[in-house]
Amino acid sequence: MYLINKRSLFSLIPILLLMQTSVMAQTNDLKNTVEIMAEDLEAQVIEWRRHFHEFPELSNREFETSKKIASYLEELGLEVQTGIAHTGVVGILETGNPGPVIGLRADMDALPVVERVDIPFASKVKTVYEGQDVGVMHACGHDTHIAMLMGVATILTEMRDELNGTIKFIFQPAEEGAPQGEEGGAELMVKEGVLKNPDVDVIFGQHISSGVEVGKVNYKPEGYMASADIFRIKITGKQTHGSTPWTGIDPIVISSQIITGLQTIVSRQLPLTKNAAVITVGKINGGVRENIISEELVMSGTMRSLNAEMRTSMHEKIRLTATKIAESAGAHVEVIIEEGPPVTYNDPDLMEKMLPTLQETAGNENVNLVNARTGYEDFSYYQKEIPGLMYHIGGKPSTTEPGNAAPHHTPDFYIDESGMKLGVKMLSNLAIDYMKSSD
């Protein structure tokens, strides 16, 4: 047992303060480097973004996108892994100094949308998606995510000798969902070991937003974005002539009753003061002619929740509601529920630890605590395995009123490229600060 007397303890205080001051000074020096390099790299980041925007690729088809990313990461001298979850790319930065393993993630896929935005680098790409001729557009900002993470990789590789630990730059395909009959996205990347060898301790991800002003950052601890599940309800009745409905069992009328019943699940059966939830029927197929009551009808939709228990309850209540209403009319019903991404859950301890980094990088006045969103992010699959943090950065020009900004997934979606510099600085500083806090 070792004893330290008061005199010895007091003599240690200046040394400890000096060490703390030295660490803070080193961290500040690194952040000054980030500031300078982000400024110098801005034009290159914009050039990368414009290339990916002009040549977008759909989920699990990001072949040329991944080649360009891998080639650049190799130029940086990183260990590069390709072909993860079909087209995923991972660059590994080993600093040579002991420390945590940090994951930084960007998604790569575009959407089957025809672009209407009048910009020189607008997408003209056409392809076939699930049997339909479609346009292809980065209508959710994933092109900016790629470009920003490439910028971050450049900065952190440059300061490799001054960092501690390992960084995995994760470029993920199919965030928007794999094509029908295929696996993909974050779920498949996790399954194929993207968080292993070396084992990732923590992961950070950011999403640009067309509705958030450039320079602003939105965050929320705990449930931030919703789980997203798909349900399909097949009703089998009895076909008959439209003039004599009593001789058959009408699945169309039954479907209307089920739709009404589904809406009462959220409005009357869930504790909405706890968390929000949404059930939407988005597709109905049934009938071939106006005077024939069809035998079958299939409807499908989405359910969103911000709480795991409420999510389970919604599954049970959808099955019960559809089954009992159909049975009451003499019909048979089949309910299929496909679980999608879970709740995007920002670990509260990690959020508290890294909030000062968000505030310091963007400015206290620009960092906003917001309500949860009912959109989903498959970043949540990483968060199921390890602590993770997702936030939104602004991509809306200050001259555009919030209500006039085109939503994501639409032909008029637009991002102000000046917002990307903050994203480059933010991911860089999060990695630096997490490393230093783990010393």
Side-chain angles (χ1 to χ4, degrees):
M1 182 175 184
Y2 295 91
L3 298 176
I4 301 177
N5 61 36
K6 289 185 178 180
R7 182 175 297 177
S8 299
L9 180 61
F10 284 127
S11 68
L12 283 172
I13 290 175
I15 298 173
L16 293 172
L17 289 174
L18 183 61
M19 290 172 62
Q20 184 180 25
T21 302
S22 175
V23 171
M24 290 176 62
Q26 183 186 19
T27 302
N28 288 335
D29 287 344
L30 292 176
K31 289 185 176 179
N32 288 336
T33 301
V34 168
E35 187 75 30
I36 293 167
M37 290 192 70
E39 187 74 36
D40 292 343
L41 280 168
E42 183 176 23
Q44 178 63 74
V45 171
I46 289 173
E47 183 181 324
W48 283 326
R49 183 264 168 154
R50 292 184 176 185
H51 172 84
F52 293 125
H53 190 90
E54 188 172 359
F55 303 104
E57 296 175 295
L58 294 178
S59 303
N60 280 357
R61 305 293 184 270
E62 307 92 337
F63 303 115
E64 296 303 318
T65 301
S66 62
K67 285 180 186 176
K68 186 174 180 66
I69 294 167
S71 176
Y72 182 71
L73 297 181
E74 288 169 355
E75 287 178 23
L76 291 177
L78 301 179
E79 177 190 336
V80 179
Q81 301 170 348
T82 60
I84 306 169
H86 303 300
T87 55
V89 180
V90 175
I92 301 177
L93 172 61
E94 295 277 6
T95 68
N97 302 313
V101 181
I102 299 171
L104 303 177
R105 175 269 205 171
D107 37 14
M108 307 189 300
D109 52 328
L111 288 155
V113 174
V114 177
E115 182 159 16
R116 278 200 302 245
V117 184
D118 184 18
I119 50 178
F121 51 94
S123 170
K124 302 294 191 298
V125 176
K126 307 290 183 184
T127 190
V128 175
Y129 176 72
E130 295 188 354
Q132 298 184 54
D133 293 328
V134 297
V136 185
M137 177 189 175
H138 271 295
C140 200
H142 296 185
D143 51 341
T144 70
H145 301 170
I146 304 167
M148 288 187 287
L149 189 55
M150 290 171 70
V152 174
T154 306
I155 292 172
L156 295 179
T157 301
E158 181 69 23
M159 55 179 64
R160 177 200 305 253
D161 294 340
E162 300 171 86
L163 301 176
N164 301 316
T166 301
I167 301 173
K168 281 189 172 182
F169 302 99
I170 299 170
F171 294 86
Q172 176 208 307
E175 190 279 329
E176 300 292 357
Q180 197 165 8
E182 297 181 20
E183 289 185 284
E187 184 178 23
L188 187 56
M189 291 203 86
V190 170
K191 187 186 295 185
E192 294 190 359
V194 75
L195 300 179
K196 302 295 183 183
N197 301 318
D199 294 354
V200 180
D201 297 302
V202 67
I203 189 165
F204 299 109
Q206 61 186 8
H207 203 304
I208 206 159
S209 173
S210 67
V212 178
E213 186 177 335
V214 165
K216 305 289 185 182
V217 178
N218 288 350
Y219 77 96
K220 182 188 177 299
E222 299 184 334
Y224 181 43
M225 299 181 73
S227 61
D229 303 326
I230 295 171
F231 63 88
R232 293 184 177 85
I233 300 173
K234 180 180 178 181
I235 305 166
T236 303
K238 182 180 178 183
Q239 186 165 320
T240 190
H241 198 288
S243 65
T244 56
W246 55 87
T247 61
I249 299 174
D250 190 343
I252 294 178
V253 172
I254 295 168
S255 73
S256 69
Q257 295 169 340
I258 289 175
I259 291 169
T260 301
L262 295 180
Q263 297 312 305
T264 67
I265 293 174
V266 172
S267 65
R268 293 294 182 269
Q269 301 177 55
L270 295 179
L272 291 182
T273 55
K274 185 176 182 179
N275 267 307
V278 173
I279 297 176
T280 295
V281 176
K283 185 177 179 181
I284 301 177
N285 290 321
V288 293
R289 184 180 168 89
E290 67 280 356
N291 65 345
I292 299 175
I293 292 176
S294 65
E295 186 142 316
E296 291 183 349
L297 178 144
V298 178
M299 58 183 179
S300 57
T302 184
M303 64 185 88
R304 307 294 172 97
S305 174
L306 289 151
N307 177 276
E309 293 178 2
M310 288 173 66
R311 181 190 194 190
T312 300
S313 178
M314 289 167 71
H315 290 189
E316 295 170 352
K317 292 180 184 299
I318 286 174
R319 294 183 191 280
L320 181 65
T321 299
T323 299
K324 294 303 181 184
I325 289 175
E327 287 178 350
S328 71
H332 173 75
V333 70
E334 180 183 4
V335 181
I336 298 171
I337 295 177
E338 298 177 6
E339 289 195 3
V343 176
T344 303
Y345 185 85
N346 285 331
D347 182 274
D349 293 334
L350 180 62
M351 183 84 257
E352 183 180 8
K353 183 176 185 177
M354 305 314 299
L355 182 57
T357 303
L358 301 185
Q359 294 169 331
E360 181 185 354
T361 305
N364 282 356
E365 70 282 4
N366 295 317
V367 179
N368 305 303
L369 175 64
V370 296
N371 294 326
R373 305 161 68 104
T374 49
Y376 78 83
E377 238 291 351
D378 81 348
F379 185 78
S380 55
Y381 285 112
Y382 305 115
Q383 293 174 312
K384 277 185 68 176
E385 307 297 323
I386 59 174
L389 177 59
M390 165 66 67
Y391 55 89
H392 280 73
I393 62 169
K396 181 186 74 65
S398 58
T399 54
T400 301
E401 292 295 323
N404 294 333
H408 292 232
H409 292 216
T410 65
D412 302 307
F413 174 79
Y414 176 80
I415 288 296
D416 185 334
E417 294 171 327
S418 67
M420 293 192 292
K421 183 165 65 175
L422 175 59
V424 172
K425 293 191 293 185
M426 192 67 77
L427 276 181
S428 300
N429 287 340
L430 283 168
I432 290 168
D433 282 351
Y434 189 84
M435 283 181 166
K436 293 305 175 185
S437 70
S438 302
D439 286 350

